Amino acid sequence: MNGYTAALQILIALAFLSIPLVRSRYGGRAQAAVEAELARQGVRTTVMAENGMRVDAGGHETWAPVGIATALLVPAAFTLAGSPVAETLSWIIQPLVVLVNCVILYSNLTAVPSVTAAFAKSGDAELQRIDVRSMLAAAETGFPRWVMPYLQNLRHVVVFAGSIAVLAVLIAG
């Protein structure tokens, strides 16, 4: 392990931190756009909040990426400190980061059907009436154009390519 792997892990951590940072900055606009779309659809604008759903930086949209970033910074710090435990931690954490990012990518690609299915199972008639595709499109308009798809795709590239590079260094060991 070397400073190169630590730099990659720090870069990947920053990629994950971009999620709550962007949602914190622009999530209010996205939430307002969702509420306007719900009103347009004749759905109670508070239905999302009543069911614990939000598009800003609350809940898992904050704790998950911050947790992943923290997990990545631990082996990076050990690497920079010259500790041999960095390699073991990297072997554990880096594959998990790849798997988690695969889940995130899948979630992004299947957002409409998965949210529609979740709303259908909710038992809340208001949620079940929502045109999910239009609601999610409205949420996207709350974010600057550079967020989706550009920042989103860049984040995936950094996470996947950086993780592959870290694993390649570990294998070359």
Side-chain angles (χ1 to χ4, degrees):
M1 296 279 296
N2 56 38
Y4 173 71
T5 56
L8 286 171
Q9 288 171 323
I10 292 167
L11 181 63
I12 297 166
L14 291 172
F16 274 100
L17 289 176
S18 72
I19 298 167
L21 289 173
V22 167
R23 286 188 177 266
S24 176
R25 172 69 176 91
Y26 301 105
R29 287 182 5 193
Q31 185 65 41
V34 165
E35 290 171 7
E37 175 59 24
L38 294 177
R40 188 194 68 73
Q41 292 182 29
V43 175
R44 197 172 61 254
T45 60
T46 58
V47 70
M48 299 288 286
E50 293 164 8
N51 285 280
M53 298 175 208
R54 46 197 305 169
V55 295
D56 63 5
H60 78 281
E61 294 290 351
T62 295
W63 65 257
V66 168
I68 294 165
T70 302
L72 284 159
L73 293 174
V74 170
F78 277 115
T79 296
L80 295 173
S83 173
V85 75
E87 185 172 341
T88 302
L89 289 173
S90 293
W91 272 115
I92 295 167
I93 292 168
Q94 215 63 57
L96 290 174
V97 167
V98 170
L99 290 174
V100 165
N101 207 59
C102 285
V103 170
I104 292 169
L105 181 58
Y106 178 78
S107 173
N108 291 345
L109 294 173
T110 62
V112 172
S114 62
V115 172
T116 301
F119 284 5
K121 292 177 187 173
S122 72
D124 186 317
E126 285 286 289
L127 283 179
Q128 294 169 352
R129 290 186 330 120
I130 295 173
D131 173 354
V132 173
R133 183 174 308 281
S134 296
M135 182 196 71
L136 293 176
E140 267 190 44
T141 67
F143 295 99
R145 181 71 181 117
W146 54 265
V147 173
M148 291 181 262
Y150 306 111
L151 178 62
Q152 184 180 51
N153 291 341
L154 176 61
R155 191 188 64 72
H156 287 304
V157 168
V158 167
V159 172
F160 286 128
S163 294
I164 289 167
V166 169
L167 292 169
V169 169
L170 290 171
I171 289 168

Coordinates of all heavy atoms in Angstrom, one line a residue, residues 27-119:
G27 N -31.5 20.4 -2.4 CA -32.6 19.6 -2.0 C -33.9 20.3 -1.7 O -35.0 19.8 -2.1
G28 N -33.8 21.5 -1.1 CA -35.0 22.3 -0.9 C -35.8 22.6 -2.2 O -37.0 22.6 -2.2
R29 N -35.0 23.0 -3.2 CA -35.6 23.3 -4.5 C -36.2 22.1 -5.1 O -37.3 22.2 -5.7 CB -34.5 23.9 -5.4 CG -34.1 25.3 -5.1 CD -33.1 25.9 -6.0 NE -32.7 25.2 -7.2 CZ -31.7 25.5 -8.0 NH1 -30.9 26.5 -7.7 NH2 -31.4 24.8 -9.1
A30 N -35.5 21.0 -4.9 CA -36.1 19.7 -5.5 C -37.4 19.3 -4.8 O -38.3 18.9 -5.4 CB -35.0 18.6 -5.4
Q31 N -37.4 19.5 -3.4 CA -38.6 19.2 -2.7 C -39.7 20.1 -3.1 O -40.9 19.6 -3.2 CB -38.3 19.3 -1.2 CG -39.4 18.9 -0.3 CD -39.7 17.4 -0.4 OE1 -38.8 16.6 -0.5 NE2 -41.0 17.1 -0.5
A32 N -39.4 21.4 -3.3 CA -40.5 22.3 -3.7 C -41.0 21.9 -5.1 O -42.2 22.0 -5.3 CB -39.9 23.7 -3.7
A33 N -40.1 21.5 -6.0 CA -40.6 21.0 -7.3 C -41.4 19.8 -7.2 O -42.4 19.6 -7.9 CB -39.3 20.7 -8.2
V34 N -41.1 18.9 -6.3 CA -41.9 17.7 -6.1 C -43.3 18.0 -5.6 O -44.3 17.6 -6.1 CB -41.2 16.7 -5.1 CG1 -42.2 15.6 -4.6 CG2 -40.0 16.0 -5.8
E35 N -43.3 18.9 -4.6 CA -44.6 19.4 -4.0 C -45.5 20.1 -5.1 O -46.7 19.8 -5.1 CB -44.4 20.2 -2.8 CG -43.8 19.4 -1.6 CD -43.4 20.2 -0.5 OE1 -43.6 21.5 -0.4 OE2 -42.8 19.6 0.5
A36 N -44.9 20.9 -5.9 CA -45.6 21.5 -7.0 C -46.2 20.5 -8.0 O -47.3 20.6 -8.4 CB -44.7 22.5 -7.8
E37 N -45.4 19.5 -8.3 CA -45.8 18.4 -9.2 C -47.0 17.6 -8.5 O -48.0 17.2 -9.2 CB -44.7 17.5 -9.6 CG -45.1 16.2 -10.4 CD -45.8 16.6 -11.7 OE1 -45.6 17.7 -12.3 OE2 -46.5 15.7 -12.2
L38 N -46.9 17.3 -7.2 CA -47.9 16.6 -6.5 C -49.2 17.4 -6.6 O -50.3 16.9 -6.8 CB -47.5 16.3 -5.1 CG -46.4 15.3 -5.0 CD1 -46.0 15.1 -3.5 CD2 -46.7 13.9 -5.6
A39 N -49.1 18.7 -6.4 CA -50.3 19.6 -6.4 C -50.9 19.6 -7.8 O -52.1 19.5 -8.0 CB -49.9 21.0 -6.0
R40 N -50.0 19.6 -8.8 CA -50.5 19.5 -10.2 C -51.3 18.2 -10.5 O -52.3 18.2 -11.2 CB -49.3 19.6 -11.2 CG -49.8 19.8 -12.7 CD -48.6 19.5 -13.6 NE -48.1 18.2 -13.6 CZ -48.7 17.1 -14.2 NH1 -49.9 17.3 -14.7 NH2 -48.2 15.9 -14.2
Q41 N -50.8 17.1 -9.8 CA -51.5 15.8 -10.0 C -52.7 15.7 -9.1 O -53.4 14.7 -9.1 CB -50.5 14.7 -9.6 CG -49.4 14.6 -10.6 CD -48.4 13.4 -10.3 OE1 -48.9 12.4 -9.7 NE2 -47.2 13.5 -10.6
G42 N -53.0 16.7 -8.2 CA -54.1 16.7 -7.3 C -53.9 15.8 -6.1 O -54.8 15.3 -5.5
V43 N -52.6 15.6 -5.8 CA -52.2 14.8 -4.6 C -51.8 15.7 -3.5 O -51.2 16.7 -3.7 CB -51.0 13.8 -5.0 CG1 -50.5 13.1 -3.8 CG2 -51.4 12.9 -6.2
R44 N -52.2 15.3 -2.3 CA -51.8 16.1 -1.1 C -50.3 16.3 -1.1 O -49.5 15.4 -1.2 CB -52.3 15.3 0.1 CG -52.4 16.1 1.4 CD -53.0 15.2 2.5 NE -52.3 14.0 2.9 CZ -52.6 12.8 2.5 NH1 -53.7 12.6 1.9 NH2 -51.9 11.8 2.9
T45 N -49.8 17.6 -1.0 CA -48.4 17.9 -1.1 C -47.6 17.4 0.1 O -46.4 17.3 0.0 CB -48.2 19.4 -1.3 OG1 -48.7 20.1 -0.2 CG2 -48.8 19.9 -2.6
T46 N -48.3 17.0 1.1 CA -47.6 16.6 2.4 C -47.4 15.1 2.4 O -46.9 14.5 3.4 CB -48.3 17.1 3.6 OG1 -49.7 16.6 3.5 CG2 -48.3 18.6 3.7
V47 N -48.0 14.4 1.4 CA -48.0 12.9 1.5 C -46.6 12.3 1.6 O -46.4 11.3 2.3 CB -48.8 12.3 0.3 CG1 -48.0 12.5 -1.0 CG2 -49.1 10.9 0.5
M48 N -45.6 12.9 0.9 CA -44.3 12.3 1.0 C -43.7 12.4 2.4 O -43.2 11.5 3.0 CB -43.3 13.1 0.0 CG -43.8 13.0 -1.4 SD -43.5 11.4 -2.1 CE -41.7 11.4 -2.3
A49 N -43.8 13.6 3.0 CA -43.3 13.8 4.4 C -44.1 13.0 5.4 O -43.5 12.4 6.3 CB -43.5 15.3 4.7
E50 N -45.4 12.8 5.2 CA -46.2 12.0 6.0 C -45.7 10.5 6.0 O -45.9 9.8 7.0 CB -47.7 12.0 5.7 CG -48.3 13.4 5.9 CD -49.6 13.6 5.2 OE1 -50.1 12.6 4.6 OE2 -50.1 14.7 5.2
N51 N -45.1 10.1 4.9 CA -44.6 8.7 4.8 C -43.1 8.6 5.0 O -42.5 7.6 4.6 CB -45.1 8.2 3.5 CG -46.5 7.8 3.5 OD1 -46.9 6.8 4.0 ND2 -47.4 8.7 3.0
G52 N -42.5 9.7 5.5 CA -41.1 9.7 5.8 C -40.2 9.7 4.5 O -39.0 9.3 4.6
M53 N -40.7 10.3 3.5 CA -39.9 10.4 2.2 C -39.5 11.8 1.9 O -40.3 12.7 2.1 CB -40.7 9.8 1.1 CG -41.1 8.4 1.2 SD -42.2 7.9 -0.1 CE -43.1 6.6 0.7
R54 N -38.3 12.0 1.4 CA -37.8 13.3 1.1 C -36.7 13.2 0.0 O -36.2 12.2 -0.2 CB -37.3 14.0 2.4 CG -36.4 13.1 3.2 CD -36.1 13.5 4.6 NE -35.6 14.8 4.7 CZ -35.5 15.4 5.9 NH1 -35.8 14.8 7.0 NH2 -35.0 16.6 6.0
V55 N -36.5 14.3 -0.6 CA -35.5 14.4 -1.7 C -34.3 15.3 -1.3 O -33.4 15.5 -2.1 CB -36.1 14.8 -3.0 CG1 -37.1 13.8 -3.5 CG2 -36.7 16.2 -3.0
D56 N -34.3 15.7 -0.1 CA -33.1 16.6 0.3 C -32.1 15.7 1.0 O -32.0 14.5 0.8 CB -33.6 17.7 1.2 CG -34.2 17.2 2.5 OD1 -34.2 16.0 2.8 OD2 -34.8 18.1 3.3
A57 N -31.2 16.3 1.8 CA -30.1 15.6 2.4 C -30.5 14.9 3.7 O -29.6 14.5 4.5 CB -29.0 16.5 2.6
G58 N -31.7 14.6 4.0 CA -32.1 14.0 5.2 C -32.0 12.5 5.1 O -31.8 11.9 4.1
G59 N -32.0 11.8 6.3 CA -32.1 10.4 6.4 C -30.9 9.7 5.7 O -29.7 10.1 5.8
H60 N -31.2 8.6 5.0 CA -30.2 7.8 4.4 C -29.4 8.5 3.4 O -28.3 8.1 3.0 CB -30.7 6.4 3.9 CG -31.4 6.5 2.6 ND1 -32.7 7.0 2.5 CD2 -31.0 6.3 1.4 CE1 -33.0 7.0 1.2 NE2 -32.0 6.6 0.5
E61 N -29.9 9.5 2.8 CA -29.2 10.3 1.8 C -28.0 11.0 2.4 O -27.2 11.5 1.7 CB -30.1 11.3 1.1 CG -31.2 10.6 0.3 CD -30.7 9.9 -1.0 OE1 -29.5 10.1 -1.3 OE2 -31.5 9.2 -1.6
T62 N -28.0 11.1 3.7 CA -26.8 11.7 4.4 C -26.0 10.6 5.1 O -24.8 10.5 4.9 CB -27.3 12.8 5.4 OG1 -27.9 13.9 4.7 CG2 -26.1 13.3 6.2
W63 N -26.6 9.9 6.0 CA -25.8 8.9 6.8 C -25.1 7.9 6.0 O -24.0 7.5 6.3 CB -26.6 8.4 8.0 CG -27.8 7.5 7.6 CD1 -29.1 7.8 7.7 CD2 -27.7 6.1 7.2 NE1 -29.9 6.7 7.3 CE2 -29.1 5.6 7.1 CE3 -26.7 5.2 7.0 CZ2 -29.4 4.3 6.7 CZ3 -27.0 3.9 6.6 CH2 -28.3 3.5 6.5
A64 N -25.8 7.4 4.9 CA -25.1 6.3 4.1 C -23.8 6.8 3.4 O -22.8 6.2 3.6 CB -26.1 5.7 3.1
P65 N -23.9 7.9 2.6 CA -22.6 8.3 2.0 C -21.6 8.8 3.0 O -20.4 8.6 2.8 CB -23.1 9.4 1.0 CG -24.5 9.7 1.3 CD -25.0 8.6 2.1
V66 N -22.0 9.4 4.1 CA -21.0 9.9 5.1 C -20.4 8.7 5.7 O -19.2 8.6 6.0 CB -21.7 10.8 6.1 CG1 -20.8 11.1 7.3 CG2 -22.1 12.2 5.5
G67 N -21.2 7.6 6.0 CA -20.6 6.4 6.6 C -19.7 5.7 5.6 O -18.6 5.3 6.1
I68 N -20.0 5.7 4.3 CA -19.1 5.1 3.4 C -17.8 5.9 3.2 O -16.7 5.3 3.2 CB -19.8 4.9 2.0 CG1 -21.0 3.9 2.1 CG2 -18.8 4.5 0.9 CD1 -22.0 4.0 1.0
A69 N -17.9 7.2 3.2 CA -16.8 8.1 3.1 C -15.9 7.8 4.3 O -14.6 7.7 4.2 CB -17.2 9.5 3.0
T70 N -16.5 7.8 5.5 CA -15.7 7.5 6.7 C -15.0 6.2 6.7 O -13.8 6.1 7.0 CB -16.6 7.6 8.0 OG1 -17.2 8.9 8.0 CG2 -15.8 7.4 9.2
A71 N -15.7 5.2 6.2 CA -15.1 3.8 6.1 C -13.9 3.9 5.1 O -12.9 3.2 5.4 CB -16.1 2.8 5.6
L72 N -13.9 4.7 4.1 CA -12.8 4.8 3.1 C -11.7 5.6 3.7 O -10.5 5.3 3.4 CB -13.3 5.4 1.8 CG -14.1 4.5 0.9 CD1 -14.9 5.3 0.0 CD2 -13.2 3.6 0.2
L73 N -12.0 6.6 4.5 CA -10.9 7.4 5.1 C -10.1 6.7 6.2 O -8.9 7.0 6.4 CB -11.5 8.7 5.7 CG -12.1 9.6 4.6 CD1 -12.8 10.8 5.3 CD2 -11.0 10.1 3.7
V74 N -10.7 5.6 6.8 CA -9.9 4.9 7.8 C -8.7 4.2 7.2 O -7.6 4.4 7.7 CB -10.9 3.9 8.5 CG1 -10.1 3.0 9.4 CG2 -11.9 4.7 9.4
P75 N -8.9 3.3 6.1 CA -7.6 2.7 5.6 C -6.7 3.7 4.9 O -5.5 3.5 5.0 CB -8.2 1.7 4.5 CG -9.6 2.1 4.3 CD -10.1 2.8 5.5
A76 N -7.3 4.8 4.4 CA -6.4 5.9 3.8 C -5.5 6.4 4.9 O -4.3 6.6 4.7 CB -7.2 6.9 3.2
A77 N -6.1 6.7 6.1 CA -5.3 7.3 7.2 C -4.3 6.3 7.7 O -3.1 6.7 7.9 CB -6.3 7.7 8.3
F78 N -4.7 5.0 7.8 CA -3.7 4.0 8.2 C -2.6 3.9 7.1 O -1.4 3.7 7.5 CB -4.4 2.6 8.4 CG -5.0 2.5 9.8 CD1 -6.4 2.3 9.9 CD2 -4.2 2.5 10.9 CE1 -7.0 2.2 11.1 CE2 -4.8 2.4 12.2 CZ -6.2 2.2 12.3
T79 N -2.9 4.0 5.9 CA -1.9 3.9 4.8 C -0.9 5.1 5.0 O 0.3 4.9 5.0 CB -2.5 4.0 3.4 OG1 -3.3 2.8 3.3 CG2 -1.4 4.0 2.3
L80 N -1.4 6.3 5.2 CA -0.6 7.5 5.3 C 0.3 7.4 6.6 O 1.4 7.9 6.6 CB -1.4 8.7 5.3 CG -2.1 9.0 3.9 CD1 -3.0 10.2 4.0 CD2 -1.1 9.2 2.8
A81 N -0.2 6.7 7.6 CA 0.5 6.5 8.9 C 1.5 5.4 8.8 O 2.3 5.2 9.7 CB -0.5 6.3 10.0
G82 N 1.5 4.6 7.6 CA 2.4 3.5 7.5 C 2.0 2.2 8.2 O 2.9 1.4 8.4
S83 N 0.8 2.1 8.6 CA 0.3 1.0 9.3 C 0.0 -0.2 8.4 O -0.7 0.0 7.4 CB -0.9 1.3 10.1 OG -1.4 0.1 10.7
P84 N 0.5 -1.4 8.7 CA 0.2 -2.6 7.9 C -1.3 -3.0 7.9 O -1.8 -3.7 7.0 CB 1.0 -3.7 8.4 CG 1.4 -3.2 9.8 CD 1.3 -1.7 9.8
V85 N -2.1 -2.5 8.9 CA -3.5 -2.8 9.0 C -4.3 -2.2 7.8 O -5.4 -2.6 7.5 CB -4.1 -2.4 10.3 CG1 -4.3 -0.9 10.4 CG2 -5.4 -3.1 10.6
A86 N -3.7 -1.2 7.1 CA -4.4 -0.5 6.0 C -4.7 -1.5 4.9 O -5.8 -1.4 4.3 CB -3.5 0.6 5.5
E87 N -3.8 -2.4 4.6 CA -4.0 -3.4 3.5 C -5.2 -4.3 3.9 O -6.1 -4.5 3.0 CB -2.8 -4.2 3.3 CG -3.0 -5.1 2.1 CD -1.7 -5.8 1.7 OE1 -0.6 -5.4 2.1 OE2 -1.8 -6.8 1.0
T88 N -5.3 -4.8 5.1 CA -6.4 -5.7 5.5 C -7.7 -4.9 5.4 O -8.7 -5.4 4.9 CB -6.2 -6.2 6.9 OG1 -4.9 -6.9 6.9 CG2 -7.3 -7.1 7.3
L89 N -7.7 -3.7 5.9 CA -9.0 -2.9 5.9 C -9.4 -2.6 4.5 O -10.6 -2.7 4.1 CB -8.8 -1.6 6.7 CG -8.7 -1.7 8.2 CD1 -8.3 -0.3 8.8 CD2 -10.0 -2.2 8.7
S90 N -8.4 -2.3 3.6 CA -8.7 -2.1 2.2 C -9.3 -3.3 1.5 O -10.2 -3.1 0.7 CB -7.5 -1.6 1.5 OG -7.1 -0.3 2.0
W91 N -8.8 -4.5 1.8 CA -9.3 -5.7 1.2 C -10.8 -5.9 1.7 O -11.6 -6.5 0.9 CB -8.5 -6.9 1.6 CG -7.4 -7.2 0.7 CD1 -6.0 -7.1 1.0 CD2 -7.4 -7.6 -0.7 NE1 -5.3 -7.5 -0.1 CE2 -6.1 -7.8 -1.1 CE3 -8.5 -7.8 -1.5 CZ2 -5.8 -8.1 -2.4 CZ3 -8.2 -8.2 -2.9 CH2 -6.9 -8.3 -3.3
I92 N -11.1 -5.4 2.8 CA -12.5 -5.6 3.3 C -13.4 -4.5 2.8 O -14.5 -4.8 2.2 CB -12.5 -5.6 4.9 CG1 -11.8 -6.8 5.4 CG2 -14.0 -5.5 5.4 CD1 -11.5 -6.7 6.9
I93 N -13.0 -3.3 2.9 CA -13.8 -2.1 2.6 C -14.0 -1.9 1.1 O -15.1 -1.6 0.6 CB -13.3 -0.9 3.2 CG1 -13.4 -1.0 4.8 CG2 -13.9 0.4 2.7 CD1 -12.7 0.0 5.6
Q94 N -12.9 -2.0 0.3 CA -13.0 -1.6 -1.1 C -14.0 -2.5 -1.9 O -14.8 -2.0 -2.7 CB -11.6 -1.7 -1.8 CG -11.4 -0.6 -2.8 CD -11.5 0.8 -2.3 OE1 -10.7 1.2 -1.4 NE2 -12.4 1.6 -2.8
P95 N -14.0 -3.8 -1.7 CA -15.0 -4.6 -2.5 C -16.4 -4.3 -2.0 O -17.4 -4.2 -2.8 CB -14.7 -6.1 -2.1 CG -13.2 -6.0 -1.7 CD -13.0 -4.7 -1.1
L96 N -16.6 -3.9 -0.7 CA -17.9 -3.5 -0.2 C -18.4 -2.2 -0.9 O -19.5 -2.1 -1.2 CB -17.9 -3.4 1.3 CG -17.8 -4.7 2.1 CD1 -17.7 -4.4 3.6 CD2 -19.0 -5.6 1.8
V97 N -17.4 -1.3 -1.1 CA -17.7 0.0 -1.7 C -18.2 -0.3 -3.2 O -19.2 0.3 -3.6 CB -16.5 0.9 -1.7 CG1 -16.7 2.1 -2.6 CG2 -16.3 1.4 -0.3
V98 N -17.5 -1.2 -3.9 CA -17.9 -1.5 -5.2 C -19.4 -2.1 -5.2 O -20.2 -1.7 -6.0 CB -17.0 -2.5 -5.9 CG1 -17.5 -3.0 -7.2 CG2 -15.6 -1.9 -6.1
L99 N -19.6 -3.0 -4.3 CA -21.0 -3.6 -4.2 C -22.0 -2.6 -3.9 O -23.1 -2.6 -4.5 CB -21.0 -4.7 -3.2 CG -20.2 -6.0 -3.6 CD1 -20.2 -7.0 -2.4 CD2 -20.8 -6.7 -4.8
V100 N -21.8 -1.7 -2.9 CA -22.7 -0.7 -2.6 C -23.0 0.3 -3.8 O -24.1 0.7 -4.0 CB -22.2 0.1 -1.3 CG1 -23.0 1.4 -1.2 CG2 -22.3 -0.7 -0.1
N101 N -21.9 0.6 -4.5 CA -22.1 1.5 -5.6 C -22.9 0.8 -6.7 O -23.6 1.4 -7.5 CB -20.8 2.0 -6.2 CG -20.9 3.4 -6.8 OD1 -21.4 4.3 -6.2 ND2 -20.6 3.4 -8.1
C102 N -22.7 -0.5 -6.9 CA -23.6 -1.3 -7.8 C -25.1 -1.1 -7.4 O -25.9 -1.0 -8.3 CB -23.2 -2.7 -7.9 SG -21.6 -3.0 -8.7
V103 N -25.3 -1.2 -6.1 CA -26.7 -1.1 -5.7 C -27.2 0.3 -5.9 O -28.4 0.5 -6.4 CB -26.8 -1.4 -4.2 CG1 -28.2 -1.0 -3.6 CG2 -26.5 -2.9 -3.9
I104 N -26.4 1.3 -5.7 CA -26.8 2.7 -6.0 C -27.0 2.9 -7.5 O -28.1 3.5 -7.9 CB -25.7 3.7 -5.5 CG1 -25.6 3.7 -4.0 CG2 -25.9 5.1 -6.0 CD1 -24.4 4.4 -3.4
L105 N -26.2 2.4 -8.3 CA -26.4 2.5 -9.8 C -27.6 1.8 -10.2 O -28.4 2.4 -11.0 CB -25.2 1.9 -10.5 CG -25.2 2.0 -12.0 CD1 -25.3 3.4 -12.5 CD2 -23.9 1.3 -12.6
Y106 N -27.9 0.6 -9.7 CA -29.1 -0.1 -10.0 C -30.3 0.7 -9.5 O -31.3 0.8 -10.3 CB -29.1 -1.5 -9.3 CG -30.4 -2.3 -9.6 CD1 -30.6 -2.9 -10.8 CD2 -31.4 -2.4 -8.6 CE1 -31.7 -3.6 -11.0 CE2 -32.5 -3.1 -8.8 CZ -32.7 -3.7 -10.1 OH -33.9 -4.4 -10.3
S107 N -30.3 1.3 -8.4 CA -31.3 2.1 -7.8 C -31.6 3.3 -8.7 O -32.8 3.6 -9.0 CB -31.0 2.5 -6.4 OG -32.0 3.4 -5.9
N108 N -30.5 3.9 -9.2 CA -30.7 5.1 -10.1 C -31.4 4.6 -11.4 O -32.2 5.4 -11.9 CB -29.3 5.7 -10.4 CG -28.7 6.4 -9.3 OD1 -29.4 6.7 -8.3 ND2 -27.4 6.7 -9.4
L109 N -31.0 3.5 -11.9 CA -31.5 3.0 -13.2 C -32.9 2.5 -13.1 O -33.6 2.5 -14.1 CB -30.6 2.0 -13.8 CG -29.2 2.4 -14.2 CD1 -28.3 1.2 -14.6 CD2 -29.2 3.4 -15.3
T110 N -33.3 2.1 -12.0 CA -34.7 1.5 -11.8 C -35.6 2.3 -10.9 O -36.5 1.8 -10.3 CB -34.6 0.1 -11.2 OG1 -34.0 0.1 -9.9 CG2 -33.8 -0.8 -12.2
A111 N -35.3 3.6 -10.8 CA -36.0 4.5 -9.8 C -37.5 4.5 -10.1 O -38.3 4.3 -9.1 CB -35.4 5.9 -9.9
V112 N -37.9 4.7 -11.3 CA -39.4 4.8 -11.6 C -40.1 3.5 -11.2 O -41.0 3.5 -10.4 CB -39.6 5.2 -13.0 CG1 -41.1 5.1 -13.3 CG2 -39.1 6.6 -13.3
P113 N -39.7 2.3 -11.7 CA -40.4 1.1 -11.3 C -40.3 0.8 -9.8 O -41.3 0.3 -9.2 CB -39.8 0.0 -12.2 CG -38.6 0.5 -12.8 CD -38.7 2.0 -12.7
S114 N -39.1 1.0 -9.2 CA -39.0 0.6 -7.8 C -39.8 1.6 -6.9 O -40.4 1.1 -5.9 CB -37.5 0.6 -7.4 OG -36.9 1.8 -7.5
V115 N -39.8 2.9 -7.2 CA -40.6 3.8 -6.4 C -42.1 3.5 -6.6 O -42.9 3.5 -5.6 CB -40.3 5.3 -6.7 CG1 -41.2 6.2 -6.0 CG2 -38.8 5.6 -6.3
T116 N -42.5 3.2 -7.8 CA -43.9 2.9 -8.1 C -44.3 1.7 -7.3 O -45.4 1.7 -6.7 CB -44.1 2.7 -9.6 OG1 -43.7 3.9 -10.3 CG2 -45.5 2.3 -10.0
A117 N -43.5 0.7 -7.3 CA -43.8 -0.6 -6.6 C -43.8 -0.3 -5.1 O -44.7 -0.8 -4.4 CB -42.7 -1.6 -6.8
A118 N -42.9 0.5 -4.5 CA -43.0 0.9 -3.1 C -44.2 1.6 -2.8 O -44.9 1.4 -1.7 CB -41.7 1.7 -2.7
F119 N -44.6 2.6 -3.6 CA -45.9 3.3 -3.4 C -47.1 2.4 -3.4 O -48.0 2.5 -2.6 CB -46.0 4.4 -4.4 CG -45.2 5.6 -4.2 CD1 -44.2 5.7 -3.2 CD2 -45.3 6.7 -5.0 CE1 -43.4 6.8 -3.0 CE2 -44.5 7.9 -4.8 CZ -43.5 7.9 -3.8

